[in-house]
Amino acid sequence: MAGLRIGYGFDSHSFKPGVPLVIGGLRIEHTEGLAGHSDGDVLLHAITDALLGAVSAGDIGTFFPPSDDRWKGADSSLFVRTAMEEIATAGYRIVNLDSVLVLQRPKIVPIAGDIRERVAEILEIPARNVGIKAKTPEGLNQDGVAVAHVTVLLEEIAGLDEPKRMVAEEEDPEEMEVVVRTLIDEPPHNMSRLGRKPAFDTDDLT
Ligand code: MG
């Protein structure tokens, strides 16, 4: 049986007037948006943490410290894509994902299908493998807050080591050296190589 890994992510953001509301990468018409250093997408942040956690790769603050102005107003799908690169590097792919959103307003049920489609598109998996559920914060006294909980299941990509090893054996070592140097010297525009040094600044303003 192929190796399986489970991941869990949580996030919360306060509602704030005057900013767009984005949940699961979907722009939603509402009187308020979510405050945050990035676009405040509470669901994509919890998904990012679930993916990173599943392969023990740290958390969103490790990769995207809120102290870094590059992530100001950032589209949070960038964070998810980086986490997807991490799980692929570790040799895993997503089986399915489930989530619970906890918020008073707006009503999620009428748009849950659209959020699901958008999340599936970002994760590059079929929508049938994405669960979007919503609750109101009954008795929690947190009406001005949006919360997201996410679990994700990963499976090992079968036979990944074999093709990798075959390619490595065929490569001329000097040629490989050139390739590696080019990668190292390349300007840091590649999201997968940003913030690799753990900052452990987990004050989650992202
Ligand atoms: Mg966040």
Side-chain angles (χ1 to χ4, degrees):
M1 187 178 172
L4 298 172
R5 309 274 301 197
I6 190 168
Y8 171 72
F10 165 89
D11 197 25
S12 65
H13 283 256
S14 295
F15 278 97
K16 179 186 170 183
V19 293
L21 178 61
V22 186
I23 297 178
L26 187 76
R27 174 76 188 268
I28 298 162
E29 282 306 318
H30 191 54
T31 51
E32 297 179 304
L34 295 172
H37 188 65
S38 65
D39 63 6
D41 193 326
V42 68
L43 179 56
L44 292 192
H45 296 178
I47 289 174
T48 302
D49 267 357
L51 291 169
L52 292 174
V55 293
S56 305
D59 67 14
I60 194 167
T62 312
F63 287 81
F64 307 101
S67 52
D68 192 329
D69 274 347
R70 276 180 297 178
W71 318 127
K72 201 164 183 212
D75 176 343
S76 294
S77 63
L78 292 173
F79 305 160
V80 176
R81 274 199 282 275
T82 297
M84 287 168 67
E85 285 176 19
E86 284 299 307
I87 67 163
T89 302
Y92 286 84
R93 68 176 161 224
I94 300 167
V95 177
N96 75 308
L97 175 144
D98 194 17
S99 67
V100 181
L101 288 163
V102 186
L103 71 174
Q104 189 63 41
R105 275 176 299 273
K107 288 269 172 254
I108 296 300
V109 170
I111 53 172
D114 292 340
I115 296 176
R116 185 185 184 216
E117 293 287 340
R118 180 71 189 117
V119 168
E121 186 182 15
I122 293 168
L123 294 174
E124 296 168 359
I125 59 175
R128 67 175 180 275
N129 295 336
V130 175
I132 304 289
K133 309 190 298 301
K135 312 284 284 183
T136 51
E138 300 271 338
L140 292 175
N141 196 24
Q142 55 183 38
D143 287 3
V145 177
V147 166
H149 300 267
V150 170
T151 54
V152 66
L153 184 68
L154 308 184
E155 69 179 349
E156 211 168 354
I157 303 168
L160 185 70
D161 286 342
E162 258 173 70
K164 258 190 179 173
R165 193 167 59 242
M166 281 163 65
V167 169
E169 279 167 5
E170 281 166 19
E171 291 288 351
D172 178 336
E174 277 180 31
E175 225 170 85
M176 280 298 280
E177 171 92 13
V178 171
V179 171
V180 169
R181 291 210 164 278
T182 310
L183 286 171
I184 291 168
D185 294 339
E186 206 176 276
H189 66 270
N190 182 339
M191 296 298 298
S192 72
R193 288 185 294 106
L194 292 174
R196 280 286 151 96
K197 42 180 195 291
F200 295 109
D201 179 359
T202 52
D203 288 348
D204 185 16
L205 298 178
T206 51

